[in-house]
Amino acid sequence: MQTFYWQLDDKKDNSAVIRQAAYFIRRGEVVAFPTETVYGLGADGLDAEAVKKIYAAKGRPADNPLILHIAACDEIKILAGELNANAKELAARFWPGPLTLVVPKSAAVPSIVSAGLSTVAVRCPSHPVARALIEAAGRPIAAPSANISGRPSPTTGKDVLEDMDGKIACVLDGGPCGIGLESTVVDTTGPLPCILRPGGITYEMLEEVLGAVEIDPALAGAESLRPKAPGMKYRHYAPQAPLYILEGEAGEKLPQMIAHALKANLRVGVLTDERGAAKVKKLFGANSALILKSFGENKKELAAGLFYFLRDFDRQGPDVILATGVDEKGLGLAIMNRMRKAAGQQSLVLRDGRLLLRNGAALPPWLSLE
Ligand code: TXA
Ligand code: MG
């Protein structure tokens, strides 16, 4: 299949191109489009045959349900059964925006969208292109992130093309996504709303509105627990090279770890903040075995760039990647959730001055600093 690639220009009128993409959606084809979080892979959310094509293009397991995207908040009425007070409050406060609500599903939603569950995930995005596309299509758009299953979510049009060229009808390139991490998923069906996936709407923001909110205990990494969002159980966001996250004070050992990797003749990728990157540059200078990336100064910049950097490492092919983590306040909860998943839970921590893997596994030989 030929995949059309259309670059949008926010200074010009893009309506003709968006109309064409909406026409593809109405014809049952799959279209990639930008949202404020990550790029989505969209199809007519009320057409089971069209939705099947999304699963095929991504190679997505059939037990992982999709999010339905709407342009006007009250369109949720067609997709959901009765909404409780928490769901209404969250929609009123945070839509349009990076929040997905899990609500009881109505009969209008095909069971392939919800992977057979009695609930459905709904989100009203704020990105103007996403909103214009949904409006022009005239129906809810089912859309997961536009990556091949398991790869980091795409945050640029080119990243989408890398995974989807030849598999879908078109890519709408609306530039880089602002937030860079997928939406916060909140299950509103229980007595207390529960965060199934942390994202741009933070725990603190939800708590302020609701008073109390739970976090799915499986997110804390307990292997024995089954996450309530089916998608959270898969290895995800993973770059090809083994990735190690340096958490807390372990970050201070970054220069030693780089030195050990280089000594073991490994090409090492490094992702750290501006200050850390300057230090690494000063210590190691220009070294062809060192691929150094600075994410900037704060969590917002790290969130916006994280998936792009992970994909960029794949293009440059290091043998191992070291990335420094952040604390879990605010956006930090979502960042660390994605980083740990990308690393397959290989987090390095410092205990009594010794470097350990948090999951108790043995350190790789090159990393033993003794
Ligand atoms: O920001 C986003 O949410 C992006 C953009 C494109 O909107 N979409 C996205 O979709 O990240 P996806 O399919 O990659 O992730 C959806 C997550 C998965 O973890 C899935 O298991 C969960 O939401 N989910 C969907 N429906 C659910 C349901 N009924 N109950 C529990 N979890 C659900
Ligand atoms: Mg995804």
Side-chain angles (χ1 to χ4, degrees), residues 88 114 122 136 211 246 303 323 347 363:
K88 283 182 190 155
S114 61
V122 183
L246 284 56
S347 281
L363 288 181

Side-chain angles (χ1 to χ4, degrees), residues 90 94 195 201-213:
L90 289 175
F94 295 112
I195 298 176
I201 302 295
T202 64
Y203 171 83
E204 291 86 347
M205 290 160 85
L206 293 167
E207 198 186 29
E208 202 186 310
V209 169
L210 297 167
V213 53

